[in-house]
Amino acid sequence: MSTHTIVALVENRPGVLNKIASKWRQRGFNIESLAVGHSEVPGLSRMTFTVDGTLNDVEQVSKQMDKVIEVVKVVDLTEHNMVHRELAMVKLSATPKQRGPILEIVDIFRAKIVDVSAESVIVEVTGTEEKVDAFLEMVGPYGVAELVRTGRIAMTRGPNAPMTIDKSKIEEHKFRAAGEGKAKIGTLI
Amino acid sequence: MKRTGAQIVMECLAREGVEHIFGYPGGANLPLYDTLPQYPQIRHVLVRHEQAAAHAADAYARVTGKVGVCWATSGPGATNLVTGIANAWMDSVPIVCITGSVVSWLIGRDGFQEADITGITLPITKQNYLVLDVDDLAETMREAFHIASTGRPGPVLIDFPRDLQQQETEFVYPEQVNIPSYSPDVEIESGQIKKAAQLINEAERPLILAGHGVIISKAYDELKELAERANVPVICTLLGLGGFPGSHELFMGMPGMHGMYWNNIAIGEADVVMGIGMRFDDRVTGRLKDFAPNAKIIHIDIDPAEIGKNVKTVVPINGDVKQALTDLNPLVEPAKHPAWLGRIRDLREEHPSIVVPNVDNLLPQYVIKKIYEMSGPNPYIVTGVGQHQMWAAQHFWSDNRASFITSGGLGTMGFEVPAAIGAQFGRPKDLVWSICGDGGFQMTLQELATCVEYELPIKFAIINNSYLGMVRQWQHNYYDKNLQSVRMFQPDFVKMAEAFGMAGLRVSEKEQVEPAIEDALRHPGPVLIDFEVEQEEDLYPAMPPGASLAETIDQPTFEEQPEKVKSR
């Protein structure tokens, strides 16, 4: 058992996320984190899953995922040398007096204050899960009112780009009529 | 040219060469029915339950090699299709299901007869669509047929709201299908083909396990060529039966849980096992870690997810079976394996496995064997699920291609009746036997009405032991003889057949079997024969659940039979 980072490039249409998530569900996997957003190709979304499992099981599900018609590509980045990050926003209860020490921690972690009020601050922190965890441990005593984390996104280091697709196909992805209804610019999956 | 949504559906079906639709009307697909008179080339077959529509389309696809089509209304109509869709999914059968959906503005608002059928069928369809724009319809229809029938085939569902069925739009039939994220034509790696050829050429004890893929890909000749050239015995999985001529000296019958004993032992001794268009299902392999312990495995399959799923493969070949074998055959050196074939022959003599005991009682396997013997060379055999299915598979040694129609992966009881209807529509001039269990038959017997209405001359043989035989056998052998809910009260099947307007015969003595089958074959219309067989006959060979192939229990010899059988 180890943590795997699976990246999938999929057509941006209704139902795709459901179909893919279903492949994990069917085999009893718990998705630890999931991040979805647009990719470099208009019409294609990039999903990053982290799941715990044996290489064999994860490989099997990845193959099943690849069979979903709208899925263009699936790669397990775990074995690659990769950069991975997540972003978290933390709302801390902070009186004007407490702001000073909080700011210190924020500086050390190269985080950012993105909102401030008389009794609270929102801190944005980016990094690996471990870094975010460490940050949360430090600010915990100040009272975490709310926490949101995006889940891991990942990319290989160096020029190697396993998720690139055939450039000649870019236009086709953009204009193809949708599986479940038509692809509309900006629709969520 | 302006067309309504419903007309576009029909236009597309006509262009796909669809001749039969199995369906059932309801509020949400009435516009489709409204257009039927405009398309006389497409015949609608009214079934009595939507599940039957899906099974009929499934069997129709299997016997014709075309895409089967069924449709139903929204809500309960659509959900009734689900078992049939799951069945087609597990057995990789190309069907297209069109469900009417509630009007588009009611979707997601719990409208009358609304069911989220695209959500429900998501894990059991190769692709499904909810069409929300009539302009997408033609392209969706085209894609559906393309996806269903290419690569590893499977069911595709299109959910189509009633208001859009009536909406008019310009009809443009897309000449080409272009799905950039879907590429079913896999290029076969020549390196793997060479490796496979080398393994086969070096093999001393090779075996072929041929599956449904051979039939789907119509690779009959290629398989025969490979087997003959390299002199390799061919074992056909349940769904592979009909992919290799039964009369061929290299044909070995079925492996696995109720397969021939000799095959299960031979698999353990083989040094090379070639899985061709099959998926090493648990009923074939037994306990996985003990499967083919001495063999290097070559696996040819069009679905990359199947390769390495269950067994460790030395040479994986991802691609169409026909193409792979066409590439492979020229590299295979002609060979003879007299010692290996001799070994299997000895195993067969020692463990004949499927001998029908010569007793006075009416044995189920005797009935099934007689049906084969008396039906000429080309009958289509449709079965349900259970003991009768396995006996039918064990005694299938026919040369007729793709003529054994059964529910393999899902194991759907009740498949036998509607599937026979689909098979008969697909093969109108051929003899279709539906070999039924008395349990499964009662799950779908309403379809006898369909059979009579369309004058289908199907011969139904109910192997009636007044038990759910397979379950009884399991309870007896693995649950300490605690027989629960397996004894069944049966209606008078003969009277019932007559009530439906077809001929009914009852057979309870061995000597009545031949005359009854003769009568049934002579009768031009549908016939039902109720064979009241020995009630507690067990099915052998049998591999206990969780056991390995080597632990298969062969048919007991006469001396080993329990007293009840000896006293017959």
Side-chain angles (χ1 to χ4, degrees):
Chain A
M1 287 279 275
S2 57
T3 302
H4 289 259
T5 306
I6 314 286
V7 181
L9 208 57
V10 308
E11 298 199 324
N12 182 2
R13 302 140 163 273
V16 178
L17 177 60
N18 192 350
K19 286 182 192 179
I20 292 177
S22 177
K23 298 286 179 198
W24 296 101
R25 172 199 53 77
Q26 203 178 351
R27 286 157 187 84
F29 277 91
N30 182 39
I31 298 173
E32 297 299 329
S33 80
L34 164 63
V36 188
H38 293 293
S39 71
E40 75 279 10
V41 183
L44 292 188
S45 294
R46 179 162 167 149
M47 299 180 176
T48 312
F49 294 82
T50 57
V51 286
D52 285 333
T54 64
L55 180 63
N56 222 348
D57 288 348
V58 171
E59 220 176 72
Q60 182 56 35
V61 183
S62 302
K63 280 177 171 179
Q64 296 292 348
M65 229 158 90
D66 214 356
K67 277 168 68 177
V68 173
I69 304 287
E70 293 90 346
V71 172
V72 180
K73 212 168 206 182
V74 180
V75 177
D76 185 348
L77 288 189
T78 318
E79 297 303 307
H80 290 74
N81 186 3
M82 62 173 173
V83 185
H84 63 91
R85 292 288 180 269
E86 71 169 8
L87 183 143
M89 287 202 287
V90 200
K91 184 176 285 185
L92 297 167
S93 317
T95 57
K97 263 191 203 162
Q98 291 170 319
R99 265 185 229 148
I102 289 176
L103 262 172
E104 256 174 52
I105 301 170
V106 165
D107 271 350
I108 294 167
F109 282 88
R110 277 180 267 166
K112 233 173 19 184
I113 305 266
V114 290
D115 178 70
V116 63
S117 75
E119 278 153 26
S120 72
V121 289
I122 297 178
V123 184
E124 172 197 306
V125 55
T126 312
T128 61
E129 290 87 347
E130 292 77 17
K131 179 182 162 185
V132 176
D133 287 343
F135 175 78
L136 289 173
E137 203 174 304
M138 295 302 292
V139 295
Y142 298 98
V144 175
E146 256 187 65
L147 167 68
V148 56
R149 300 169 75 150
T150 56
R152 178 183 288 196
I153 55 170
M155 200 173 261
T156 52
R157 289 181 191 274
N160 175 25
M163 297 308 292
T164 328
I165 65 153
D166 186 354
K167 293 284 180 263
S168 64
K169 285 196 170 165
I170 287 180
E171 285 301 297
E172 295 172 17
H173 287 296
K174 201 166 156 187
F175 292 111
R176 199 161 84 74
E180 297 187 3
K182 208 169 233 175
K184 296 172 191 81
I185 300 296
T187 45
L188 287 173
I189 296 190
Chain B
M1 191 181 357
K2 287 264 189 206
R3 288 276 183 269
T4 64
Q7 284 172 322
I8 291 174
V9 169
M10 297 305 288
E11 291 282 346
C12 291
L13 292 178
R15 281 172 167 79
E16 295 289 347
V18 173
E19 290 168 46
H20 294 93
I21 299 168
F22 302 92
Y24 206 98
N29 64 358
L30 285 180
L32 288 168
Y33 279 87
D34 200 32
T35 60
L36 283 177
Q38 302 161 29
Y39 299 89
Q41 70 272 45
I42 299 177
R43 187 173 183 200
H44 177 268
V45 178
L46 176 66
V47 292
R48 297 300 186 270
H49 184 290
E50 289 87 350
Q51 180 191 351
H55 285 324
D58 176 327
Y60 181 88
R62 296 192 206 209
V63 299
T64 59
K66 290 165 52 175
V67 177
V69 179
C70 60
W71 72 28
T73 187
S74 64
T79 55
N80 278 347
L81 289 175
V82 168
T83 303
I85 296 173
N87 191 74
W89 168 250
M90 287 292 274
D91 287 351
S92 311
V93 180
I95 62 172
V96 168
C97 313
I98 301 166
T99 51
S101 157
V102 295
V103 287
S104 53
W105 57 87
L106 275 182
I107 290 177
R109 302 174 68 169
D110 302 330
F112 175 64
Q113 291 194 329
E114 181 184 0
D116 173 14
I117 196 63
T118 48
I120 290 168
T121 58
L122 196 135
I124 51 165
T125 47
K126 192 170 168 190
Q127 176 68 312
N128 70 30
Y129 302 89
L130 168 62
V131 179
L132 288 174
D133 184 340
V134 72
D135 288 330
D136 289 344
L137 183 59
E139 199 174 335
T140 304
M141 289 288 296
R142 189 91 161 87
E143 268 188 23
F145 275 82
H146 176 65
I147 289 172
S149 59
T150 52
R152 178 179 182 173
V156 177
L157 180 134
I158 300 173
D159 198 25
F160 188 33
R162 197 196 69 209
D163 54 318
L164 297 190
Q165 295 172 26
Q166 288 162 313
Q167 215 174 77
E168 278 201 345
T169 189
E170 197 65 32
F171 172 58
V172 186
Y173 187 68
E175 286 309 319
Q176 280 190 338
V177 194
N178 180 21
I179 311 170
S181 54
Y182 175 68
S183 40
D185 300 324
V186 205
E187 191 142 328
I188 293 168
E189 289 176 42
S190 58
Q192 298 296 348
I193 294 283
K194 278 189 202 124
K195 275 192 214 160
Q198 197 186 347
L199 269 188
I200 297 166
N201 292 340
E202 287 167 3
E204 285 172 11
R205 299 181 305 280
L207 274 182
I208 289 174
L209 285 176
H212 198 191
V214 172
I215 294 171
I216 294 170
S217 151
K218 300 189 175 70
Y220 310 102
D221 296 335
E222 290 77 6
L223 175 63
K224 192 156 162 265
E225 192 193 330
L226 173 66
E228 284 173 354
R229 187 189 272 259
N231 198 221
V232 187
V234 178
I235 300 172
C236 286
T237 68
L238 178 64
L239 290 182
L241 292 171
F244 191 76
S247 63
H248 201 286
E249 55 167 3
L250 289 169
F251 180 63
M252 297 294 146
M254 194 172 66
M257 185 169 263
H258 298 294
M260 289 31 158
Y261 187 83
W262 65 76
N263 284 336
N264 291 357
I265 300 304
I267 289 171
E269 294 179 5
D271 62 352
V272 170
V273 167
M274 293 188 71
I276 303 180
M278 49 85 71
R279 58 187 176 88
F280 294 101
D281 173 69
D282 55 279
R283 289 301 196 256
V284 166
T285 61
R287 196 189 313 125
L288 265 179
K289 72 176 173 61
D290 296 318
F291 175 73
N294 300 306
K296 293 188 170 125
I297 292 175
I298 302 169
H299 191 184
I300 306 178
D301 204 281
I302 188 128
D303 181 355
E306 286 302 341
I307 292 172
K309 184 176 88 174
N310 294 339
V311 297
K312 214 167 151 251
T313 307
V314 176
V315 184
I317 299 176
N318 179 212
D320 176 52
V321 167
K322 194 183 180 87
Q323 189 54 50
L325 294 184
T326 307
D327 293 355
L328 178 64
N329 285 344
L331 306 182
V332 172
E333 287 159 14
K336 291 278 171 220
H337 301 288
W340 175 230
L341 291 176
R343 167 69 183 143
I344 298 179
R345 202 175 309 117
D346 291 348
L347 277 171
R348 281 175 77 160
E349 273 164 25
E350 257 171 70
H351 302 277
S353 284
I354 51 166
V355 178
V356 179
N358 188 14
V359 292
D360 293 337
N361 295 29
L362 180 55
L363 295 185
Q365 60 272 50
Y366 173 81
V367 172
I368 289 167
K369 198 157 187 207
K370 276 288 160 214
I371 289 174
Y372 277 117
E373 285 172 7
M374 296 176 65
S375 297
N378 298 320
Y380 282 79
I381 304 290
V382 182
T383 81
V385 169
Q387 286 182 322
H388 73 281
Q389 174 192 32
M390 292 296 111
W391 277 312
Q394 288 177 346
H395 293 281
F396 179 97
W397 293 73
S398 160
D399 289 352
N400 196 15
R401 291 172 171 180
S403 65
F404 189 74
I405 309 302
T406 194
S407 167
L410 195 66
T412 316
M413 284 172 68
F415 180 72
E416 56 264 58
V417 184
I421 291 171
Q424 187 75 79
F425 271 109
R427 294 279 165 197
K429 295 206 167 64
D430 290 312
L431 170 63
V432 174
W433 272 102
S434 171
I435 301 183
C436 311
D438 49 322
F441 178 75
Q442 289 182 76
M443 289 188 174
T444 47
L445 64 84
Q446 77 282 350
E447 298 307 321
L448 293 185
T450 313
C451 194
V452 172
E453 181 176 340
Y454 291 91
E455 298 174 344
L456 303 174
I458 300 167
K459 315 302 173 199
F460 294 93
I462 303 183
I463 309 300
N464 181 0
N465 56 8
S466 292
Y467 270 119
L468 297 173
M470 186 72 101
V471 182
R472 182 201 56 75
Q473 185 176 341
W474 277 54
Q475 289 183 342
H476 190 271
N477 294 347
Y478 312 129
Y479 291 85
D480 201 21
K481 301 178 187 162
N482 184 14
L483 302 193
Q484 294 297 321
S485 305
V486 283
R487 183 80 185 158
M488 279 191 133
F489 159 79
Q490 307 301 27
D492 185 328
F493 288 125
V494 174
K495 274 191 188 154
M496 200 172 65
E498 285 162 359
F500 273 103
M502 58 196 275
L505 299 166
R506 176 165 293 114
V507 172
S508 48
E509 302 293 334
K510 197 174 178 182
E511 50 274 17
Q512 297 170 326
V513 172
E514 288 190 23
I517 295 175
E518 266 169 30
D519 285 351
L521 292 176
R522 209 178 305 118
H523 185 70
V527 182
L528 180 150
I529 314 177
D530 178 14
F531 290 100
E532 290 180 336
V533 297
E534 182 63 34
Q535 296 196 340
E536 302 198 355
E537 181 68 12
D538 278 348
L539 164 69
Y540 288 102
M543 177 173 65
S548 70
L549 288 179
E551 294 161 75
T552 305
I553 300 162
D554 195 17
Q555 191 178 34
T557 59
F558 186 74
E559 290 72 36
E560 295 163 359
Q561 295 269 5
E563 280 308 312
K564 70 168 171 80
V565 183
K566 273 195 212 168
S567 61
R568 280 171 193 162

